[in-house]
Amino acid sequence: MTSNLQSAQTQKIETPRPTMRVYAPRVDVVETDDALTLYADLPGVKQEDVSLTCKDGELILHASCLPRHVGKKLLYSEYGIRDFYRAFKVTEKVETGRIEASLKDGVLTVRAPKAEAVRPKRIAVNGG
Amino acid sequence: MFANRLFEQMDRLFGPAGFDSPDLSPPAYPPLSVWEDEDALYVESEVPGLVAEDIGVSVTDGDQLTISAERAPSTGSGEWLYQECMYGEFSRTITLPVTVDPNAVEAKYEAGVLTVTLRKVESVKPRRIAVKAVVPALAAA
């Protein structure tokens, strides 16, 4: 696989503060000829609480998530509510200035267009 | 003797279940959490990527809550580099700890989180019993 968006880490999660406990969101990443698209499940996250940083070839996703149902008694729980954090190493050349992101129904979509230099080009063959 | 030691070692390596009964069943989907207060139960589920109108929520027999929906895969063609999100149809039924009013169920879908509010029926709500102070008829004189 000529993979480019490689996982910086899946098991070990580096956080700004080592003591901060976070969840790594589930993601899908799809590569096309002209872009890399990342879909991340961020249930319960509001648009203003998502931060995406592209620095030194790393795409860092951090989303803060506040506790819900404060003041009620928790009876049963199959998941916790914490911040989401995950970092990806972007080895493919992408145009960082043109990365677009949107959040809908708890799914974050990040589209990173590839730099012109790495896009496959179709070369026209001229008949003689 | 030797066999026992072997099993002890295996228990240490693989946990007390050993090879016989490892729990390989996947966790139920969608994951649920339940809160309560005096009047209601709040069943919450993290189910991102759904369409609110397509989520089915129903209560039967007063305490069986069913949540069902279908998540369509993220659109677009290309080469998958990661595929961790879950897609497809799901349905899950849970037994609620108390009887609820099936006519007063509210469901809300916001930011990929489904919250179902279920009102408890009157008979199961906690009731404060007033304790009467009894004045002895004959106070010790």
Side-chain angles (χ1 to χ4, degrees):
Chain A
M1 188 163 71
T2 57
S3 174
N4 359 49
L5 191 77
Q6 286 170 354
S7 163
Q9 62 284 119
T10 316
Q11 285 82 33
K12 187 172 154 279
I13 297 166
E14 285 174 15
T15 62
R17 283 169 284 150
T19 51
M20 197 170 89
R21 296 185 67 191
V22 292
Y23 287 123
R26 285 174 185 275
V27 298
D28 282 353
V29 178
V30 180
E31 179 182 5
T32 51
D33 285 348
D34 56 354
L36 292 165
T37 310
L38 177 141
Y39 303 92
D41 279 358
L42 301 174
V45 172
K46 290 185 183 71
Q47 195 181 322
E48 59 269 25
D49 296 335
V50 182
S51 99
L52 271 173
T53 322
C54 207
K55 199 182 119 194
D56 303 331
E58 262 200 341
L59 179 73
I60 297 160
L61 164 64
H62 181 224
S64 45
C65 205
L66 293 171
R68 302 183 286 263
H69 306 280
V70 177
K72 293 169 194 162
K73 186 181 159 206
L74 180 66
L75 292 180
Y76 177 70
S77 175
E78 290 176 347
Y79 56 86
I81 299 169
R82 281 192 207 134
D83 285 11
F84 292 100
Y85 182 93
R86 196 158 171 185
F88 302 89
K89 199 147 266 166
V90 187
T91 52
E92 182 93 29
K93 285 209 164 53
V94 296
E95 294 189 33
T96 48
R98 288 179 52 219
I99 296 177
E100 287 169 6
S102 63
L103 182 69
K104 187 177 179 285
D105 293 330
V107 181
L108 178 77
T109 305
V110 182
R111 190 177 180 278
K114 287 185 188 175
E116 199 58 50
V118 297
R119 290 189 197 183
K121 273 183 200 76
R122 197 180 158 81
I123 290 119
V125 177
N126 297 315
Chain B
M1 178 69 184
F2 173 73
N4 279 344
R5 291 238 322 252
L6 181 70
F7 281 120
E8 259 173 48
Q9 292 282 345
M10 277 165 45
D11 280 355
R12 216 166 288 154
L13 281 172
F14 303 107
F19 284 126
D20 292 333
S21 57
D23 187 12
L24 295 175
S25 57
Y29 192 86
L32 299 172
S33 289
V34 184
W35 283 265
E36 76 164 350
D37 59 18
E38 283 191 6
D39 301 319
L41 290 175
Y42 306 88
V43 179
E44 190 197 77
S45 184
E46 290 193 337
V47 277
L50 303 184
V51 178
E53 293 76 45
D54 297 349
I55 304 172
V57 175
S58 62
V59 176
T60 47
D61 300 335
D63 67 349
Q64 301 289 310
L65 172 70
T66 302
I67 295 169
S68 57
E70 182 172 3
R71 180 175 179 185
S74 35
T75 50
S77 57
E79 190 191 352
W80 289 88
L81 306 182
Y82 282 76
Q83 191 165 22
E84 299 168 357
C85 302
M86 305 217 213
Y87 299 103
E89 259 181 89
F90 62 82
S91 178
R92 188 169 177 196
T93 303
I94 59 162
T95 302
L96 300 168
V98 295
T99 311
V100 296
D101 180 356
N103 301 314
V105 180
E106 289 164 36
K108 179 182 81 169
Y109 185 62
E110 194 180 8
V113 176
L114 176 73
T115 309
V116 184
T117 304
L118 306 123
R119 303 274 153 211
K120 294 181 187 175
V121 294
E122 276 314 308
S123 59
V124 301
K125 285 187 192 175
R127 190 161 291 143
R128 194 177 162 82
I129 290 113
V131 178
K132 287 177 195 140
V134 178
V135 182
L138 275 172

